[in-house]
Structure formats: structure tokens, C-alpha cells
Amino acid sequence: MSTSHDTQVGAVEQRGIELVPESERHGRPRDLFFMWFGTNTNVFYIINGALLISLGLNFLQSLLIILVGNIAGFVLLGFTSLQGPRTGTSTFTINRASFGPNGGRVLAFFNWLTLVGFEGSGLALAVIAILTLVHALGGSIADATWFKIVIIVVVAALQVYIPTLGHATIMQVQKILAYVFVLFFLVVTILILSKAQVSGGQAGTFATITLGFALMVSAGGISWANTGSDYSRYLPKTAKPAAIFWASALGGMIPAILLEIVGAAVAAQLPTASDPISGLPSALPAWFLAPYLILLFFNLLAVNAIDLYSSGLTLQAIGLSVKRWQATMIDMVICMILAAVAIFSSDFNTLYGEFLSLLIIFLAPWCAIYLMDALMRRNTYDAAGLLARLGGPYWYQGGLNPAGLLAMLGGMIASALWLNSTLLQGPFSRLFGNSDMSVFTGFIVGGVLYWLLARVFAPVATPAIEGSDDGEAAGI
């Protein structure tokens, strides 16, 4: 049973995807601003900005893509944060309204893979940061296999601590880290400004612009949209939707835009290796390398904490009968294995790039369907029904909503047909000069198909009767 200490900083949150009772709702929408601001004040956005230049875009084109791509992506995060306070549960539990309980489990599994991929990448980079620091201090032991394994285990133990404690601790820690990381990246920006290049350069083609836009969206706002309600669910039901939307969207958007602009401005001076360990430090003075790597290490742990917490909730949404903190531990073990593969493969950049390149196939249509369903039912749900083990208002046909599943399949196909990645290039991409419109095709086809099919298989235009949101629903 959940207890009130779930809202206390430093206590292990016992609640998983069970409904948060109104008596335990707390906080204000602006808390989401600080949480997302701290999470998105991270080094990956500097690298994302640099990657736009490496794709063949000039600075002005990169600037436009950074602005448009982040606005589009983080607006989606704002919208997927609105359902949490209305239901008191997590994003991929609410997702059952779109796909049915059993169909929702399938989509939750894909989401879990996405989150674990980010976690494994983040853990690998945190380990690489420590190994690089040991090298910089003259320690040849960093090359030993046994030492790398020990560092992976130690870093994983540190990484899992905050996500295991849960929501209240994450919200407080991220707020504090927001100030720390703002100061950190302000120093980084000042140190590399002298190497900034903001003029000249050959303009990229239309195809290159589309590739850049796909990168900005998939590596930015839409990659957080699948966790939106995980963090807003503890807000009171009376919290203003507009405040929730703007706090979430702006909290992520502002640091992402600023840091990507910095990355694009200094990209001309970065070496070929575009990662935060071997790439960015070359633009910094030698004396700053050690403090940079130490702060980068904690920055990576902070970002990873968000994914780890949400992946634990997603495991429960799949149907795994474990406590939330146990699910987080399971994910951490898997992430250790993924991090080891990435570190010992000596080709982290390629692995991470291939992972990012395929994300949009899942995220674009899923986000469109989830938001279209929310729009059609006006963000009104039978909260207890979302957690019903059998039957209930979202059972549809054998626990499956054909409208959601068919729309998802159609959206994923549409996205893949116009994708241009290192692993897969769709026929429309080849036909139209190697362009990448996968974000648009996946989102539009998925959303429109759901809007049409829902009227045939499972009308949702009339809001469902809102159920009780206090106490715990039986079953996960």
C-alpha cells in the first residue's frame, strides 16, 4: 500500500503506476519548469548543435532549425504533461485509453526499449568520462578490462540511487542541479566563445535541412514527450492546464535552444569526433578538462535519472508484477550490459547515432495518436478504468483498440517510408533527394488515421465518465 511518505524527499517512493490520491497531490506547475530545465541543461544539446554543422548546414540554417525543431518538439512535451493531473497515473498507463490494456502493453514495451537505449548510452558516456579523467591524470589503469568493469558497476550503483528514491527526490534534486548546470554551461560557453564561427559557410540543401530537423525533434522534445505525465501526475487536479503546458514546454525548450546554438557556433573548431568526451573538450582550455569531466559525469547521471524512473514505470505498465523501485533496479542491470557493449565496442558514436536515427519511427506516430485521443476525449478519463485488469471502459475488443493499433502501424510505415538513416532509407527519401520527412509523415498519418478509425471501432469523441482518482486500483 502507498503511504504519505511517497511525497517526502529522501524516502523511497512505494507507488508505481497506481493512482495518486488527491490527498497526496502537491506542488505547483512551475516545479515542472525547474525539473525539465535541469534535465535539459545538458551537454548533448551542444553536440546536437554541432552535428547540424557536420551535416552540411551553415550557421544561419542551423539557427532556424534549432528554433523550429525545439519549439515543435517541446510543445509535444507540454501537451503530454496535461493528462497526469487529470488521472494521477503515468503516461503509458494513460496510453491504454488509446490502445486498450493489452495493446497498451505492446506500445509500453517499445517505449521501454527507447528509454533503456537512452539510459545505456548515458551510462556509457558517464563511464567514459571517468575513464578519460583517469587517463588525463596519468593513470594507465584506465585501459585495463577489469578496471572498466569495476567503473561500470560503481557508476551504475551511483546512477540508480536517485531514481530508486523516486518522484519527490527527483523533483527536488533536479531543481537544485538546474542552478548548478546553468553556471557550469555558462562557464563552458564563455570559454569557447572565442572560437565561435557564426558567419560564412556553404548553405545546405533542402534534403540536409530535413535531416537536421529530424535530428532536432527526435533528440529533443519528442524524446521526452513519452514521459510527460510521469512527472505531472502528482500535481493537484485543480492545477491550471495552461501553466502545466508552458512550464513543461519552456523548461525543456529554453536550455536546449541556447546550448544547441552554442554547439553550432563552435562546430567549425570541433574535431571529427562529435561526442562530449573527445569532441567538445578540444575547444576548451587544458586546465578546464578535469572540472569539465567531473561536472559532465554528474550532468549525465542527472539526465539518466529521468529515463530510469520512467522506464521503471513503463515496465509496470507492460504488466511486470514488481514494485517501482524493483523495476528501476532491473533496468539498471540491463543498462550496465548495454553500457559495457558500447564501451568495449570502441564505436560509441556509431551505436548511438544508429539508435537515434530509428527513434522517430516509433515516437512520431505514438505521440500523434496519444494526443489525438486526449483531444477527442478532452483529457477526461475514467482513471480507475485505466488500471482495470479485465474489462472496463477501455477494454475495446479483447483488450485491444483496433483504431490505435492500426493507426500506429500505418504511422510507423509512413515514417519509415520517408526516413533517411544509417540503418534504413525509405523509398520516398531516395525519390526526393535523400530527404527525411519521417517526423511529418509518421505524425500526420498516425494522428489522422486514429481520428478516422476511432469513429469506426471505438468512438471517443464524447468524454468518458471520470472515475475516482483516490486510492489504488487493483491490478497493474
Side-chain angles (χ1 to χ4, degrees):
M1 294 290 291
S2 298
T3 59
S4 60
H5 74 263
D6 279 350
T7 63
Q8 297 177 4
V9 175
V12 177
E13 179 191 13
Q14 299 300 312
R15 179 178 292 106
I17 63 174
E18 302 96 330
L19 305 180
V20 181
E22 190 66 31
S23 60
E24 293 187 31
R25 304 290 189 92
H26 63 283
R28 291 165 290 186
R30 70 183 184 187
D31 296 333
L32 293 174
F33 175 87
F34 289 106
M35 194 279 291
W36 288 118
F37 196 98
T39 299
N40 286 280
T41 305
N42 72 73
V43 72
F44 284 108
Y45 288 112
I46 294 181
I47 302 307
N48 290 345
L51 287 175
L52 292 178
I53 302 298
S54 69
L55 285 175
L57 299 166
N58 62 29
F59 178 77
L60 291 179
Q61 288 177 318
S62 299
L63 179 61
L64 178 62
I65 291 172
I66 288 168
L67 292 173
V68 176
N70 279 291
I71 290 172
F74 282 102
V75 159
L76 298 177
L77 169 61
F79 282 128
T80 62
S81 299
L82 298 178
Q83 299 77 38
R86 302 299 298 271
T87 61
T89 189
S90 64
T91 306
F92 270 77
T93 306
I94 302 167
N95 180 65
R96 295 173 179 176
S98 310
F99 299 96
N102 293 331
R105 297 180 202 278
V106 175
L107 273 297
F109 175 74
F110 279 104
N111 185 62
W112 177 77
L113 291 177
T114 297
L115 293 170
V116 168
F118 275 119
E119 293 157 17
S121 302
L123 183 64
L125 278 180
V127 171
I128 292 171
I130 295 298
L131 295 176
T132 304
L133 178 61
V134 174
H135 259 301
L137 296 176
S140 59
I141 194 175
D143 294 322
T145 299
W146 70 266
F147 185 76
K148 292 180 179 179
I149 294 174
V150 168
I151 295 299
I152 291 173
V153 174
V154 171
V155 172
L158 292 172
Q159 172 71 88
V160 79
Y161 179 66
I162 298 299
T164 298
L165 292 179
H167 183 274
T169 303
I170 287 175
M171 297 295 288
Q172 184 63 33
V173 169
Q174 291 297 99
K175 182 177 181 178
I176 295 171
L177 291 180
Y179 296 105
V180 175
F181 293 148
V182 164
L183 290 175
F184 169 50
F185 284 109
L186 180 60
V187 173
V188 171
T189 300
I190 292 172
L191 290 175
I192 62 180
L193 270 180
S194 62
K195 298 184 178 182
Q197 300 289 330
V198 298
S199 61
Q202 186 174 356
T205 63
F206 171 75
T208 307
I209 291 173
T210 64
L211 286 171
F213 181 81
L215 170 67
M216 287 298 98
V217 176
S218 63
I222 201 171
S223 68
W224 293 116
N226 53 345
T227 67
S229 287
D230 296 353
Y231 297 96
S232 64
R233 65 196 176 111
Y234 272 92
L235 289 176
K237 190 183 297 184
T238 55
K240 293 182 179 179
I244 296 170
F245 171 85
W246 288 113
S248 301
L250 292 177
M253 185 191 309
I254 291 173
I257 288 175
L258 294 178
L259 291 175
E260 283 172 349
I261 290 174
V262 171
V266 301
Q269 299 300 318
L270 292 179
T272 303
S274 295
D275 67 76
I277 309 300
S278 61
L280 185 59
S282 64
L284 297 167
W287 63 265
F288 191 66
L289 178 61
Y292 167 80
L293 289 172
I294 293 171
L295 281 168
L296 174 63
F297 171 75
F298 288 104
N299 183 241
L300 290 166
L301 294 190
V303 175
N304 240 17
I306 304 301
D307 284 326
L308 264 171
Y309 180 77
S310 288
S311 67
L313 294 176
T314 303
L315 266 185
Q316 288 189 313
I318 292 172
L320 194 63
S321 296
V322 295
K323 295 182 181 294
R324 181 205 58 79
W325 65 267
Q326 292 172 333
T328 301
M329 292 290 189
I330 292 171
D331 283 346
M332 193 70 259
V333 172
I334 296 172
C335 289
M336 287 173 58
I337 297 172
L338 293 177
V341 170
I343 290 169
F344 288 108
S345 73
S346 71
D347 198 9
F348 174 84
N349 286 359
T350 300
L351 291 174
Y352 184 65
E354 290 174 346
F355 165 67
L356 279 181
S357 69
L358 298 179
L359 274 185
I360 207 66
I361 295 179
F362 164 71
L363 287 176
W366 170 81
C367 192
I369 294 166
Y370 178 87
L371 292 178
M372 179 60 73
D373 180 82
L375 176 65
M376 294 173 74
R377 64 178 76 252
R378 302 173 194 170
N379 278 329
T380 305
Y381 301 84
D382 183 330
L386 291 169
L387 285 157
R389 189 179 297 273
L390 292 172
Y394 307 112
W395 189 248
Y396 303 110
Q397 299 178 25
L400 304 172
N401 182 359
L405 294 173
L406 290 173
M408 187 69 193
L409 179 61
M412 291 180 70
I413 292 173
S415 185
L417 287 174
W418 211 325
L419 179 77
N420 185 3
S421 80
T422 54
L423 293 178
L424 174 66
Q425 183 176 18
F428 287 123
S429 174
R430 290 191 294 269
L431 183 63
F432 292 98
N434 298 320
S435 58
D436 189 331
M437 302 292 284
S438 56
V439 175
F440 298 103
T441 54
F443 193 88
I444 293 172
V445 172
V448 171
L449 270 180
Y450 185 75
W451 182 74
L452 293 171
L453 293 173
R455 284 159 167 72
V456 177
F457 292 105
V460 297
T462 301
I465 298 174
E466 192 166 352
S468 171
D469 67 343
D470 52 11
E472 298 177 10
I476 291 178

Coordinates of all heavy atoms in Angstrom, one line a residue, residues 24-87:
E24 N -2.7 13.3 -1.6 CA -1.2 13.3 -1.7 C -0.7 14.1 -2.9 O 0.5 14.1 -3.2 CB -0.7 11.8 -1.8 CG -0.9 11.0 -0.6 CD -0.2 9.7 -0.6 OE1 0.8 9.5 -1.3 OE2 -0.7 8.7 0.0
R25 N -1.6 14.8 -3.6 CA -1.2 15.7 -4.7 C -0.6 16.9 -4.0 O -1.0 17.5 -3.0 CB -2.4 16.1 -5.5 CG -3.3 15.0 -6.1 CD -2.5 14.2 -7.2 NE -3.4 13.3 -7.8 CZ -4.1 13.6 -8.9 NH1 -4.1 14.8 -9.4 NH2 -4.9 12.7 -9.5
H26 N 0.5 17.4 -4.7 CA 1.2 18.5 -4.1 C 2.0 19.2 -5.2 O 2.1 18.7 -6.3 CB 2.2 18.0 -3.0 CG 3.3 17.2 -3.6 ND1 3.1 15.8 -3.9 CD2 4.6 17.4 -3.9 CE1 4.2 15.3 -4.4 NE2 5.1 16.2 -4.4
G27 N 2.6 20.4 -4.9 CA 3.4 21.1 -5.8 C 2.6 22.0 -6.7 O 1.4 22.1 -6.7
R28 N 3.4 22.7 -7.5 CA 2.8 23.7 -8.5 C 3.4 23.5 -9.9 O 4.5 22.9 -10.0 CB 3.1 25.1 -8.0 CG 2.4 25.5 -6.7 CD 2.9 26.8 -6.1 NE 4.3 26.5 -5.5 CZ 4.9 27.4 -4.8 NH1 4.4 28.6 -4.6 NH2 6.1 27.1 -4.3
P29 N 2.7 23.9 -10.9 CA 3.2 23.7 -12.3 C 4.6 24.2 -12.5 O 5.4 23.6 -13.2 CB 2.2 24.4 -13.1 CG 0.9 24.4 -12.4 CD 1.3 24.5 -10.9
R30 N 5.0 25.3 -11.8 CA 6.3 25.8 -12.0 C 7.4 24.8 -11.6 O 8.6 24.9 -12.0 CB 6.5 27.1 -11.3 CG 6.5 27.1 -9.8 CD 6.6 28.5 -9.2 NE 6.7 28.5 -7.8 CZ 6.6 29.6 -7.0 NH1 6.4 30.8 -7.6 NH2 6.8 29.5 -5.7
D31 N 7.1 23.9 -10.7 CA 8.0 22.8 -10.3 C 8.5 22.0 -11.5 O 9.6 21.6 -11.6 CB 7.4 21.9 -9.3 CG 7.1 22.6 -8.0 OD1 7.7 23.6 -7.7 OD2 6.2 22.1 -7.3
L32 N 7.6 21.8 -12.5 CA 7.9 21.1 -13.7 C 8.9 21.9 -14.5 O 9.8 21.3 -15.2 CB 6.6 20.9 -14.5 CG 5.6 19.9 -14.0 CD1 4.4 19.9 -14.8 CD2 6.2 18.5 -13.8
F33 N 8.8 23.3 -14.5 CA 9.7 24.1 -15.2 C 11.2 23.8 -14.8 O 12.1 23.6 -15.6 CB 9.4 25.6 -15.1 CG 10.4 26.5 -15.7 CD1 10.3 26.8 -17.1 CD2 11.5 27.0 -15.0 CE1 11.2 27.7 -17.7 CE2 12.5 27.8 -15.6 CZ 12.3 28.1 -16.9
F34 N 11.4 23.8 -13.4 CA 12.7 23.6 -12.9 C 13.2 22.2 -13.2 O 14.4 22.0 -13.5 CB 12.8 23.9 -11.4 CG 12.6 25.4 -11.1 CD1 11.5 25.9 -10.6 CD2 13.7 26.3 -11.3 CE1 11.3 27.2 -10.3 CE2 13.6 27.6 -11.0 CZ 12.4 28.1 -10.5
M35 N 12.3 21.2 -13.1 CA 12.7 19.8 -13.3 C 13.2 19.6 -14.8 O 14.2 19.1 -15.0 CB 11.5 18.9 -13.0 CG 11.9 17.4 -12.9 SD 12.1 16.6 -14.5 CE 10.4 16.6 -15.0
W36 N 12.4 20.1 -15.7 CA 12.7 20.0 -17.1 C 13.9 20.9 -17.5 O 14.7 20.5 -18.4 CB 11.5 20.2 -18.0 CG 10.5 19.1 -18.0 CD1 9.2 19.2 -17.6 CD2 10.7 17.8 -18.3 NE1 8.6 18.0 -17.6 CE2 9.5 17.1 -18.1 CE3 11.8 17.0 -18.8 CZ2 9.4 15.7 -18.4 CZ3 11.7 15.7 -19.1 CH2 10.5 15.0 -18.9
F37 N 14.0 22.0 -16.9 CA 15.2 22.9 -17.1 C 16.5 22.2 -16.7 O 17.4 22.2 -17.5 CB 15.0 24.2 -16.4 CG 15.9 25.3 -16.9 CD1 15.4 26.3 -17.8 CD2 17.2 25.5 -16.5 CE1 16.2 27.3 -18.3 CE2 18.0 26.5 -17.0 CZ 17.5 27.4 -17.9
G38 N 16.5 21.7 -15.5 CA 17.7 21.0 -15.0 C 18.0 19.8 -15.9 O 19.2 19.5 -16.2
T39 N 17.0 19.0 -16.3 CA 17.2 17.8 -17.1 C 17.8 18.2 -18.5 O 18.7 17.5 -19.0 CB 15.9 17.1 -17.3 OG1 15.4 16.7 -16.0 CG2 16.0 15.8 -18.2
N40 N 17.3 19.2 -19.1 CA 17.7 19.6 -20.4 C 18.9 20.5 -20.5 O 19.3 20.9 -21.6 CB 16.5 20.1 -21.2 CG 15.5 19.1 -21.6 OD1 15.7 18.3 -22.6 ND2 14.5 18.9 -20.8
T41 N 19.4 21.0 -19.4 CA 20.7 21.7 -19.4 C 21.8 20.7 -19.4 O 22.4 20.4 -18.3 CB 20.7 22.6 -18.1 OG1 19.6 23.5 -18.1 CG2 22.0 23.5 -18.2
N42 N 22.0 20.1 -20.5 CA 23.0 19.0 -20.6 C 23.8 19.1 -21.9 O 23.4 19.7 -22.9 CB 22.3 17.6 -20.5 CG 21.5 17.3 -21.7 OD1 22.0 16.9 -22.7 ND2 20.2 17.3 -21.5
V43 N 24.9 18.4 -21.8 CA 25.9 18.5 -22.9 C 25.5 18.0 -24.2 O 26.0 18.4 -25.3 CB 27.2 17.8 -22.4 CG1 27.1 16.3 -22.5 CG2 28.4 18.2 -23.2
F44 N 24.5 17.1 -24.2 CA 24.1 16.5 -25.5 C 23.6 17.6 -26.5 O 23.7 17.4 -27.7 CB 23.0 15.5 -25.3 CG 23.5 14.2 -24.7 CD1 23.3 13.8 -23.4 CD2 24.2 13.3 -25.5 CE1 23.7 12.6 -22.9 CE2 24.7 12.1 -25.0 CZ 24.5 11.8 -23.7
Y45 N 23.0 18.6 -25.9 CA 22.5 19.7 -26.8 C 23.6 20.5 -27.5 O 23.4 20.9 -28.6 CB 21.5 20.6 -26.1 CG 20.2 19.9 -25.7 CD1 19.9 19.6 -24.4 CD2 19.3 19.5 -26.7 CE1 18.7 18.9 -24.1 CE2 18.1 18.8 -26.4 CZ 17.9 18.5 -25.1 OH 16.7 17.9 -24.8
I46 N 24.7 20.6 -26.9 CA 25.8 21.3 -27.5 C 26.3 20.4 -28.7 O 26.5 20.9 -29.8 CB 27.0 21.5 -26.5 CG1 26.6 22.5 -25.5 CG2 28.2 22.0 -27.3 CD1 27.7 22.8 -24.4
I47 N 26.3 19.2 -28.5 CA 26.7 18.2 -29.5 C 25.7 18.2 -30.7 O 26.0 18.1 -31.8 CB 27.0 16.8 -29.0 CG1 28.0 16.9 -27.9 CG2 27.4 15.9 -30.1 CD1 29.3 17.6 -28.3
N48 N 24.4 18.2 -30.3 CA 23.4 18.2 -31.3 C 23.5 19.4 -32.3 O 23.4 19.4 -33.5 CB 22.0 18.3 -30.7 CG 21.6 17.0 -30.0 OD1 22.3 15.9 -30.3 ND2 20.6 17.0 -29.2
G49 N 23.8 20.6 -31.7 CA 24.0 21.8 -32.5 C 25.2 21.7 -33.4 O 25.2 22.1 -34.5
A50 N 26.3 21.0 -32.9 CA 27.5 20.8 -33.7 C 27.2 19.9 -34.8 O 27.7 20.0 -35.9 CB 28.6 20.3 -32.8
L51 N 26.4 18.9 -34.6 CA 26.0 17.9 -35.6 C 25.3 18.5 -36.8 O 25.5 18.1 -37.9 CB 25.2 16.8 -35.0 CG 25.9 15.8 -34.1 CD1 24.9 14.8 -33.5 CD2 27.0 15.1 -34.9
L52 N 24.6 19.6 -36.6 CA 23.9 20.3 -37.7 C 24.9 20.8 -38.7 O 24.8 20.8 -39.9 CB 23.0 21.4 -37.2 CG 21.8 21.0 -36.4 CD1 21.1 22.3 -35.9 CD2 20.8 20.2 -37.2
I53 N 26.0 21.4 -38.1 CA 27.1 21.9 -39.0 C 27.8 20.7 -39.7 O 28.1 20.8 -40.9 CB 28.1 22.7 -38.2 CG1 27.5 23.8 -37.4 CG2 29.2 23.2 -39.1 CD1 26.8 24.9 -38.3
S54 N 28.0 19.6 -39.0 CA 28.6 18.5 -39.7 C 27.8 17.9 -40.7 O 28.3 17.2 -41.7 CB 29.0 17.4 -38.6 OG 27.9 16.8 -38.1
L55 N 26.5 18.1 -40.7 CA 25.6 17.6 -41.7 C 25.8 18.4 -43.0 O 25.4 17.9 -44.1 CB 24.1 17.6 -41.3 CG 23.6 16.6 -40.3 CD1 22.2 16.9 -39.8 CD2 23.7 15.2 -40.8
G56 N 26.3 19.6 -42.9 CA 26.5 20.4 -44.1 C 25.7 21.7 -44.1 O 25.6 22.4 -45.1
L57 N 25.1 22.1 -43.0 CA 24.3 23.3 -42.9 C 25.2 24.4 -42.4 O 26.2 24.2 -41.7 CB 23.2 23.1 -41.9 CG 22.1 22.0 -42.2 CD1 21.3 21.7 -41.0 CD2 21.3 22.5 -43.4
N58 N 24.9 25.7 -42.8 CA 25.6 26.8 -42.3 C 25.0 27.3 -41.0 O 23.9 26.7 -40.5 CB 25.7 27.9 -43.3 CG 24.4 28.5 -43.7 OD1 23.4 28.5 -42.9 ND2 24.3 29.0 -44.9
F59 N 25.6 28.3 -40.3 CA 25.1 28.6 -39.0 C 23.7 29.2 -39.0 O 22.8 28.9 -38.2 CB 26.0 29.7 -38.4 CG 25.5 30.2 -37.0 CD1 25.7 29.4 -35.9 CD2 24.9 31.4 -36.9 CE1 25.3 29.8 -34.7 CE2 24.4 31.8 -35.7 CZ 24.6 31.0 -34.5
L60 N 23.3 30.0 -40.0 CA 22.0 30.6 -40.1 C 20.9 29.6 -40.3 O 19.9 29.6 -39.7 CB 21.9 31.7 -41.1 CG 22.7 33.0 -40.9 CD1 22.6 33.9 -42.0 CD2 22.3 33.6 -39.6
Q61 N 21.2 28.6 -41.1 CA 20.3 27.5 -41.3 C 20.1 26.7 -40.0 O 19.0 26.3 -39.7 CB 20.8 26.6 -42.5 CG 20.6 27.2 -43.9 CD 21.2 26.2 -44.9 OE1 22.3 25.6 -44.7 NE2 20.5 26.1 -46.0
S62 N 21.3 26.4 -39.4 CA 21.2 25.7 -38.1 C 20.4 26.4 -37.1 O 19.6 25.8 -36.3 CB 22.7 25.5 -37.6 OG 23.4 24.7 -38.5
L63 N 20.6 27.7 -37.0 CA 19.8 28.5 -36.1 C 18.3 28.4 -36.3 O 17.6 28.2 -35.3 CB 20.2 30.0 -36.2 CG 19.5 31.0 -35.2 CD1 19.8 30.6 -33.8 CD2 20.0 32.4 -35.5
L64 N 17.9 28.5 -37.5 CA 16.5 28.3 -37.8 C 15.9 26.9 -37.5 O 14.9 26.8 -36.9 CB 16.2 28.6 -39.3 CG 14.8 28.4 -39.8 CD1 13.9 29.5 -39.1 CD2 14.7 28.6 -41.3
I65 N 16.7 25.9 -37.8 CA 16.3 24.5 -37.5 C 16.2 24.3 -36.0 O 15.3 23.7 -35.4 CB 17.2 23.5 -38.1 CG1 17.0 23.6 -39.7 CG2 17.0 22.1 -37.6 CD1 18.0 22.8 -40.4
I66 N 17.2 24.9 -35.2 CA 17.2 24.7 -33.8 C 16.0 25.4 -33.2 O 15.3 24.8 -32.3 CB 18.5 25.4 -33.2 CG1 19.7 24.6 -33.5 CG2 18.4 25.6 -31.7 CD1 21.0 25.3 -33.3
L67 N 15.6 26.5 -33.6 CA 14.4 27.2 -33.1 C 13.1 26.4 -33.4 O 12.3 26.1 -32.6 CB 14.3 28.6 -33.7 CG 15.4 29.6 -33.2 CD1 15.3 30.9 -33.9 CD2 15.3 29.8 -31.7
V68 N 13.0 26.1 -34.7 CA 11.7 25.5 -35.2 C 11.6 24.0 -34.6 O 10.6 23.6 -34.1 CB 11.6 25.4 -36.7 CG1 10.4 24.7 -37.1 CG2 11.6 26.9 -37.2
G69 N 12.7 23.3 -34.7 CA 12.7 21.9 -34.2 C 12.4 21.8 -32.7 O 11.7 20.9 -32.3
N70 N 13.0 22.7 -31.9 CA 12.8 22.6 -30.5 C 11.4 23.1 -30.1 O 10.8 22.5 -29.1 CB 13.9 23.4 -29.7 CG 15.2 22.6 -29.6 OD1 15.2 21.6 -28.9 ND2 16.2 23.0 -30.3
I71 N 10.9 24.1 -30.7 CA 9.6 24.6 -30.4 C 8.6 23.4 -30.7 O 7.7 23.1 -29.9 CB 9.2 25.8 -31.3 CG1 10.0 27.0 -30.7 CG2 7.7 26.1 -31.2 CD1 9.9 28.3 -31.6
A72 N 8.7 22.8 -31.9 CA 7.8 21.7 -32.3 C 7.9 20.6 -31.3 O 6.9 20.0 -30.9 CB 8.2 21.3 -33.7
G73 N 9.2 20.2 -30.9 CA 9.4 19.0 -30.1 C 8.9 19.2 -28.7 O 8.2 18.4 -28.1
F74 N 9.2 20.4 -28.1 CA 8.9 20.6 -26.7 C 7.4 21.0 -26.5 O 6.9 20.9 -25.4 CB 9.8 21.6 -26.0 CG 11.2 21.0 -25.7 CD1 12.3 21.2 -26.5 CD2 11.3 20.1 -24.6 CE1 13.5 20.6 -26.2 CE2 12.5 19.5 -24.3 CZ 13.6 19.7 -25.1
V75 N 6.8 21.5 -27.5 CA 5.3 21.7 -27.4 C 4.6 20.4 -27.2 O 3.7 20.3 -26.4 CB 4.8 22.4 -28.7 CG1 3.3 22.1 -28.9 CG2 5.1 23.9 -28.7
L76 N 5.1 19.3 -27.8 CA 4.6 18.0 -27.6 C 4.7 17.5 -26.2 O 3.8 16.9 -25.6 CB 5.2 17.0 -28.5 CG 5.0 17.3 -30.0 CD1 5.8 16.2 -30.9 CD2 3.6 17.3 -30.4
L77 N 5.9 17.8 -25.6 CA 6.1 17.5 -24.1 C 5.1 18.3 -23.3 O 4.5 17.7 -22.3 CB 7.5 17.9 -23.7 CG 7.8 17.9 -22.2 CD1 7.6 16.4 -21.6 CD2 9.2 18.4 -21.9
G78 N 4.8 19.5 -23.6 CA 3.8 20.3 -22.9 C 2.4 19.6 -22.9 O 1.8 19.5 -21.9
F79 N 2.1 19.2 -24.1 CA 0.8 18.5 -24.3 C 0.7 17.2 -23.6 O -0.4 16.8 -23.0 CB 0.4 18.4 -25.7 CG 0.0 19.7 -26.4 CD1 0.6 20.1 -27.6 CD2 -1.1 20.4 -25.9 CE1 0.1 21.3 -28.2 CE2 -1.5 21.6 -26.5 CZ -0.9 22.0 -27.6
T80 N 1.7 16.4 -23.6 CA 1.7 15.1 -22.9 C 1.8 15.2 -21.4 O 1.8 14.1 -20.7 CB 2.8 14.1 -23.5 OG1 4.1 14.6 -23.2 CG2 2.6 13.9 -25.0
S81 N 2.0 16.4 -20.9 CA 2.1 16.6 -19.4 C 0.7 16.9 -18.8 O 0.6 17.0 -17.6 CB 3.1 17.7 -19.1 OG 4.4 17.4 -19.5
L82 N -0.3 17.1 -19.7 CA -1.6 17.6 -19.2 C -2.5 16.5 -18.6 O -3.3 16.7 -17.8 CB -2.4 18.2 -20.4 CG -1.7 19.5 -21.0 CD1 -2.6 20.0 -22.2 CD2 -1.5 20.6 -20.0
Q83 N -2.2 15.2 -19.0 CA -3.1 14.1 -18.6 C -2.8 13.6 -17.2 O -3.6 13.1 -16.5 CB -3.0 13.0 -19.6 CG -3.4 13.3 -21.0 CD -2.4 14.1 -21.7 OE1 -1.2 13.8 -21.6 NE2 -2.8 15.1 -22.6
G84 N -1.5 13.8 -16.7 CA -1.1 13.3 -15.4 C -2.0 13.8 -14.3 O -2.5 13.0 -13.5
P85 N -2.2 15.2 -14.1 CA -3.0 15.7 -13.0 C -4.5 15.2 -13.2 O -5.2 15.1 -12.2 CB -2.9 17.2 -13.2 CG -1.6 17.4 -13.9 CD -1.5 16.2 -14.8
R86 N -5.0 15.0 -14.4 CA -6.4 14.6 -14.6 C -6.6 13.1 -14.2 O -7.7 12.7 -13.9 CB -6.8 14.8 -16.0 CG -6.6 16.2 -16.6 CD -7.5 17.2 -15.8 NE -8.9 16.9 -15.9 CZ -9.7 17.4 -16.9 NH1 -9.1 18.2 -17.8 NH2 -10.9 17.1 -16.9
T87 N -5.5 12.3 -14.2 CA -5.7 10.9 -13.9 C -5.0 10.4 -12.6 O -5.4 9.5 -11.9 CB -5.2 10.0 -15.1 OG1 -3.8 10.3 -15.2 CG2 -6.0 10.3 -16.3

